[in-house]
Amino acid sequence: MTMEFISGILEELKDRSLLRDYTTIESAQEPTIQINGKHYLSFCSNNYLGLANHPIVKQAAIEAIRQYGCGTGASRLVSGTMPLHTELEKNIAQFKKTEAALLFPTGYMANLGAICTLVSKEDIVIGDKLNHASIIDGCRYSGATFRVYPHKDINKLESLLQRSSSYRRKLVVTDSVFSMDGDTAPLVEIASAAKKYDALLMVDDAHATGVFGENGRGLIEHYGLEGQVEIIMGSLSKAIGSVGGFIAGSQQLIDFLKNKARHFIYTTALPPAVCAASLAGLCLIRKDLSLMNNLWENIRYLNARLSHFTPAITSESPIFPFVAGSAKDALSLSLKLFKNGILVPAIRPPTVPEGTCRLRVSLMANHKIHHLDRLIGVLCNIGFLKEHSSR
């Protein structure tokens, strides 16, 4: 069989304004980045607390390489486990207030590994319609009956749970912060529904860790639900500034995943430098709340400025969705910003539904007020934002 079909598919993607390519960043993930030798303001990184280029995080990685080298050489259950892995897992568990934690190479693999291990064809898994792709893929690949409720619709969730009594095991899974819209899940109501119908609850806290809660522990802490969520997924690649994913929960859960999760068992362990960087990032979050406070000052400032314009754009998190409509319109808006020295790539299907293509603006703690003013100024100049007529 030839591979000529590929060219046809690529051409179709191009015709629909859905063909993607890389933008190569030639500098660290900072508010100001370099592309092709030129400087741009970046509003598209998940480096929420600015830790990806923090000197303490970088030095921790350098020291780990000097002591342990670059690669681990094997999976965790063969010879890949090093002291930094166990230390990081211990610190994650302490931070999330759980008995134990387990590292995965990516957040995507953490979601797939947990969901596919916990449920199968005799079970049902229920999730929010706007859950991250890794959650959706985990639900599909698990073999369990998969049901979706409309975004944040607790009544529909309860209805699905009511009709699920015949299944061996029930799992409810939701993002805490939805990565493309920036809104938050009604976790209190979801936890109550799961408990009422004897379902396990799994929360993907990737975009909330280091951002929400009095101590930055996430949306679970923010809502006072610690100890009420059986499976907590988190990411090391966002606010923590490194890479990787984890599952936190009871010791029994972690022992189960360690022995049964194929996405953990059959993959090489995270490099020691990554673990060291993650430990340093986690330590900074725990001891320096000014990082999170700076981020929220930026969120509040941008919300206040945007309230004077149409279209109305507000956010409960560092993620602001600037919806353009079609893929072509989103690409055009992104290009206009780029020509004005601002990088915000267009988000298109299948990441978001048709007709809701957007620019996903994300803030960092080390963005300055003049960076935010520059973004608003450009959006006004190109006609995307307009002041309310009543003003």
Side-chain angles (χ1 to χ4, degrees):
M1 181 177 180
T2 67
M3 297 183 69
E4 292 178 0
F5 68 93
I6 292 177
S7 61
I9 293 173
L10 292 174
E11 193 62 34
E12 180 187 356
L13 288 173
K14 184 178 180 180
D15 291 342
R16 296 171 59 200
S17 298
L18 297 178
L19 190 65
R20 292 163 169 81
D21 206 349
Y22 305 124
T23 297
T24 302
I25 310 300
E26 301 164 345
S27 58
Q29 291 288 340
E30 292 282 336
T32 300
I33 56 172
Q34 183 173 300
I35 302 170
N36 294 327
K38 297 180 180 179
H39 290 99
Y40 294 82
L41 278 178
S42 173
F43 285 101
C44 53
S45 175
N46 295 327
N47 182 28
Y48 298 128
L49 300 183
L51 294 180
N53 195 39
H54 195 287
I56 291 176
V57 174
K58 291 194 292 186
Q59 188 59 39
I62 291 168
E63 291 175 3
I65 288 174
R66 286 177 178 153
Q67 182 171 359
Y68 297 106
C70 290
T72 52
S75 64
R76 290 283 303 279
L77 294 176
V78 179
S79 63
T81 296
M82 293 181 172
L84 287 169
H85 293 105
T86 53
E87 185 181 353
L88 178 55
E89 288 169 339
K90 180 181 177 181
N91 275 263
I92 289 170
Q94 290 174 347
F95 182 61
K96 288 293 188 178
K97 288 196 169 183
T98 61
E99 291 179 353
L102 188 66
L103 293 172
F104 287 79
T106 65
Y108 186 97
M109 291 179 70
N111 272 329
L112 261 68
I115 296 168
C116 290
T117 307
L118 288 165
V119 292
S120 59
K121 63 182 180 179
E122 298 176 67
D123 310 313
I124 186 169
V125 57
I126 305 171
D128 190 291
K129 183 178 180 180
L130 296 188
N131 275 344
H132 189 268
S134 59
I135 297 176
I136 294 169
D137 288 351
C139 294
R140 288 173 175 167
Y141 298 157
S142 70
T145 298
F146 178 30
R147 296 288 181 264
V148 173
Y149 58 90
H151 186 45
K152 298 166 65 166
D153 189 334
I154 298 301
N155 290 331
K156 184 61 175 179
L157 169 61
E158 284 223 22
S159 175
L160 289 169
L161 284 167
Q162 282 177 342
R163 302 198 301 268
S164 300
S165 59
S166 62
Y167 291 94
R168 178 188 63 174
R169 201 173 296 148
K170 300 183 285 289
L171 173 66
V172 175
V173 58
T174 182
D175 276 307
S176 60
V177 175
F178 293 90
S179 60
M180 289 299 120
D181 289 85
D183 58 342
T184 59
L187 284 189
V188 173
E189 293 86 350
I190 291 172
S192 176
K195 183 177 181 180
K196 180 178 178 180
Y197 295 98
D198 195 28
L200 295 170
L201 175 58
M202 177 175 173
V203 173
D204 179 332
D205 220 22
H207 288 274
T209 300
V211 175
F212 283 85
E214 184 179 350
N215 300 286
R217 294 192 182 106
L219 205 68
I220 294 168
E221 180 194 29
H222 175 77
Y223 283 122
L225 292 171
E226 289 167 320
Q228 299 179 53
V229 178
E230 288 87 358
I231 308 107
I232 302 171
M233 179 270 176
S235 170
L236 304 170
S237 61
K238 296 173 176 61
I240 293 173
S242 183
V243 69
F246 63 82
I247 298 293
S250 67
Q251 186 64 60
Q252 191 174 51
L253 168 69
I254 300 308
D255 288 342
F256 177 66
L257 293 177
K258 193 183 298 183
N259 283 275
K260 299 293 288 185
R262 296 171 68 85
H263 301 80
F264 169 81
I265 296 169
Y266 299 110
T267 191
T268 300
L270 281 170
V274 165
C275 296
S278 300
L279 274 164
L282 193 56
C283 181
L284 285 165
I285 291 171
R286 296 176 78 173
K287 76 177 185 180
D288 187 3
L289 292 178
S290 69
L291 296 166
M292 186 171 64
N293 292 337
N294 289 344
L295 175 63
W296 279 98
E297 285 178 12
N298 285 339
I299 296 168
R300 286 189 288 268
Y301 181 83
L302 190 58
N303 269 320
R305 287 296 313 274
L306 289 171
S307 69
H308 300 303
F309 299 95
T310 55
I313 300 168
T314 58
S315 181
E316 304 171 55
S317 74
I319 301 163
F320 288 73
F322 287 70
V323 178
S326 70
K328 185 177 179 180
D329 288 341
L331 281 173
S332 175
L333 180 59
S334 176
L335 181 58
K336 288 176 182 177
L337 285 177
F338 192 74
K339 288 179 177 178
N340 282 273
I342 298 176
L343 178 66
V344 192
I347 306 296
R348 295 160 284 165
T351 308
V352 294
E354 293 277 359
T356 68
C357 298
R358 67 196 65 187
L359 303 193
R360 176 191 181 272
V361 167
S362 55
L363 301 185
M364 293 185 280
N366 47 349
H367 274 125
K368 305 299 182 186
I369 295 301
H370 66 87
H371 296 148
L372 307 184
D373 287 339
R374 171 67 178 159
L375 173 66
I376 291 172
V378 170
L379 287 168
C380 288
N381 289 339
I382 64 177
F384 182 77
L385 290 179
K386 297 178 182 178
E387 287 200 66
H388 294 312
S389 57
S390 60
R391 294 186 60 84

